[in-house]
Amino acid sequence: MQEIFVNLKRFDVPKKLGGICPVENPKEWIQNVVMESVELGLGSLEDINVTYLLPEALIIPAIEKLSTYPKEQILSINIGCQGVFRENVKPGGNFGAFTTNLPAAAAKNMGCTWSIIGHSEERKDKLGIIERYESLHKDNRYLAEFAAQAIDSLINQEVLCALDMGMNVLLCIGETSEERGDGSFEEQMPRIKKVLRGQLERGLKGVTDYLQKNKIVIGYEPVWAIGPGKTPPGAEYISFVSSYVKETVKEIYGFDITVVYGGGLKEENAAMIAAIDTIGGGLVALTRFTGDIGFSVGDLKKIIEKYLQNQS
């Protein structure tokens, strides 16, 4: 089964307020996205899932719209959230004193079946908090190592909360330019492996108890290549990383895992990504990156079609 994830980030903010939602009412926009997805056949694809990862305000209107269609037309469309808090609401426990944070119980109750966790933007935010705290102290020689362990520990708690509520998880991992370092690809390989192994060891701790009922997918984000003007990795690089991730998860935890390309699946790279036999899908954000940047279901369908045509 191939997995296509669509991270719609802050499409709850209209353009007049600085966002990229093309209409003033984001509720109407996400309902139109769901409608177009069904009309264009994305809900009846074979051997491929399409999962929309939404900001909290768009989840309920998306699920409500999806529920208006016959089941056979929406089988391959899923709705997920953009992260959960590291603690959860539980009977006999915390009733929900999590102001500003989304507990997994709330996401599940809204109808989410997936959560993205550990996205590079989330990791950057957590790192920024640690760096601001550490700047108050003179000795920060161990900041990088401490930060990696602390961030992965928090992310692991989020993963377990999502799984415990019966949700599936897209766990993002990836190396920064500093972690990759300079030199040739061969010289960088050991450093890349070290970073990814640490993220996998810490981020997936305790997940095997949930595997009979839940899916876990790894999204590989080459953080060093994300952003305007950056050069994305080629097939050799992505193949090396995805193979290593699959081998490492099998070695440490004893199960096979799906790896998707999280550096941005686009129409331009869909054929290349699909031809890598250790890749099982991709993560889409925008579908237009110049001019009137944004997302359209029609463009998403083109990406998926290009991907399926060239799947290895």
Side-chain angles (χ1 to χ4, degrees), residues 200-220:
L200 292 168
E201 285 180 335
R202 295 185 291 264
L204 291 175
K205 186 177 181 180
V207 304
T208 52
D209 294 339
Y210 299 95
L211 293 180
Q212 289 186 340
K213 296 182 179 180
N214 304 89
K215 280 186 183 180
I216 302 176
V217 173
I218 296 296
Y220 169 62

Side-chain angles (χ1 to χ4, degrees), residues 183-196:
S184 66
F185 182 36
E186 288 71 22
E187 292 172 321
Q188 293 169 343
M189 282 181 177
R191 299 191 288 267
I192 297 167
K193 286 183 175 181
K194 181 180 178 180
V195 172
L196 299 181

Side-chain angles (χ1 to χ4, degrees), residues 225-247:
I226 297 175
K230 302 290 183 64
T231 302
E236 180 186 7
Y237 198 109
I238 299 170
S239 178
F240 159 72
V241 168
S242 54
S243 297
Y244 178 72
V245 169
K246 292 176 75 71
E247 292 167 2

Side-chain angles (χ1 to χ4, degrees), residues 3-9 49 51-53 81-82 115-121 170-173 217-222 226 259-267 269 273 279-287 289 295 300 303 307:
E3 304 284 352
I4 302 295
F5 298 93
V6 185
N7 182 17
L8 292 180
K9 299 193 179 182
N49 288 317
T51 301
Y52 287 108
L53 302 163
C81 58
Q82 296 177 337
S115 177
I116 185 172
I117 294 175
H119 188 277
S120 59
E121 293 166 8
L170 171 63
L171 173 62
C172 295
I173 65 172
V217 173
I218 296 296
Y220 169 62
E221 290 187 286
I226 297 175
V259 181
V260 302
Y261 179 64
L265 182 65
K266 310 174 184 66
E267 190 174 357
N269 66 13
I273 299 297
I279 286 289
L283 177 61
V284 177
L286 303 175
T287 57
F289 296 85
F295 169 84
L300 174 63
I303 293 171
Y307 181 89

